[in-house]
Amino acid sequence: MADPAVEGRRLSRSFGRLALLGILLVVAGLVGLVYTGVATLTSMLLFGWLLLVGGLVGLLHAIESRGSNYFWLAVVVAALNIAAGVVVIRHPHGTAEALTMFAALLFLTGGVFRLVGSVVVRGPQFGWTLFQGAFGLLLGLLVLFDWPHSSLYVLGLFFSLALLFDGLGLISIGVGGRRIVSLVSDVSDQGVDPGRRHPDPDRDRHLHRYTEPDGPKPGQQPDTSTGENQSQSKS
């Protein structure tokens, strides 16, 4: 069985590395919020390389399973991923414009459906759904009216915000995990049960009262008043 102290240190280092990764993501997100154009171009290149690598891996898996029924389907999907990756890498600005237009249309349609649904249904969250629909509709119109110039910053802004919030989540997990490991290690070193680290005097007194024996305590005379009363009543 592994030493608890060694396991605690190992877990603490793991949570520390997780927090460090979160700090790097937060810094990258903040830089991306300042330089949205660079963030947009970076996100497009990353997207293209992911498509290209995913297509190559899918093609290798298809070749390994060439005797199966879905061989040609896997080959077609892999070829489409490779072609899309090459196009995105060679034309990142055009891809950003197309994806920005797609995002604007998604915001518009989602906002319209939420507005119509909230007015027709009028459920318990009518105000919140109405606000979401209005916000999505307004955001879609703003992106669409500024297109294609909006393609220079919209995707980079979303990419930077995703990095920022993911980094904050990793930091909170890493710091919280290190605190929990440190607390458990301190309790284990003291040899105290974590559930009884803070004793309750009232609970201990009640437990002692219910568990103590009914007989006389050491050095205490037995109570004979009950026997005397019974003998007097008989006489």
Side-chain angles (χ1 to χ4, degrees):
M1 183 177 180
D3 188 5
V6 176
E7 290 295 326
R9 287 193 294 269
R10 185 180 63 82
L11 286 175
S12 182
R13 286 194 297 268
S14 299
F15 282 117
R17 287 192 289 266
L18 198 64
L20 180 60
L21 177 60
I23 293 173
L24 293 178
L25 290 180
V26 168
V27 172
L30 293 176
V31 173
L33 289 176
V34 177
Y35 302 99
T36 53
V38 177
T40 299
L41 183 61
T42 304
S43 62
M44 289 297 97
L45 292 176
L46 287 176
F47 180 57
W49 280 107
L50 285 176
L51 287 175
L52 183 59
V53 173
L56 292 175
V57 173
L59 184 61
L60 291 177
H61 281 292
I63 293 174
E64 290 179 356
S65 59
R66 55 182 175 272
S68 60
N69 296 326
Y70 55 87
F71 167 71
W72 289 109
L73 178 61
V75 170
V76 171
V77 172
L80 289 177
N81 285 332
I82 293 174
V86 171
V87 171
V88 172
I89 294 173
R90 295 190 61 181
H91 305 283
H93 296 287
T95 304
E97 292 178 0
L99 291 179
T100 303
M101 173 66 74
F102 182 69
L105 294 177
L106 281 180
F107 290 142
L108 283 174
T109 53
V112 170
F113 275 109
R114 283 193 176 92
L115 282 175
V116 174
S118 63
V119 172
V120 172
V121 177
R122 290 183 176 273
Q125 297 183 353
F126 167 73
W128 179 246
T129 307
L130 188 66
F131 173 76
Q132 284 183 327
F135 181 77
L137 183 61
L138 179 62
L139 184 60
L141 290 175
L142 289 176
V143 174
L144 191 61
F145 288 158
D146 198 27
W147 189 85
H149 182 263
S150 60
S151 62
L152 298 177
Y153 59 86
V154 169
L155 297 179
L157 179 64
F158 292 160
F159 180 66
S160 302
L161 289 176
L163 289 178
L164 180 61
F165 287 111
D166 287 344
L168 291 175
L170 289 179
I171 290 174
S172 63
I173 293 174
V175 173
R178 284 177 64 90
R179 288 180 179 177
I180 293 174
V181 171
S182 177
L183 179 63
V184 173
S185 299
D186 292 341
V187 173
S188 300
D189 293 339
Q190 295 175 2
V192 180
D193 186 7
R196 294 296 305 277
R197 190 181 181 188
H198 302 286
D200 189 356
D202 295 333
R203 182 181 59 182
D204 294 341
R205 185 171 61 252
H206 287 300
L207 289 175
H208 181 69
R209 185 183 65 183
Y210 286 118
T211 55
E212 66 180 354
D214 296 333
K217 297 180 180 179
Q220 181 181 359
Q221 296 296 330
D223 187 9
T224 58
S225 59
T226 305
E228 293 176 356
N229 292 334
Q230 291 179 356
S231 60
Q232 291 177 2
S233 60
K234 289 180 180 180
S235 61

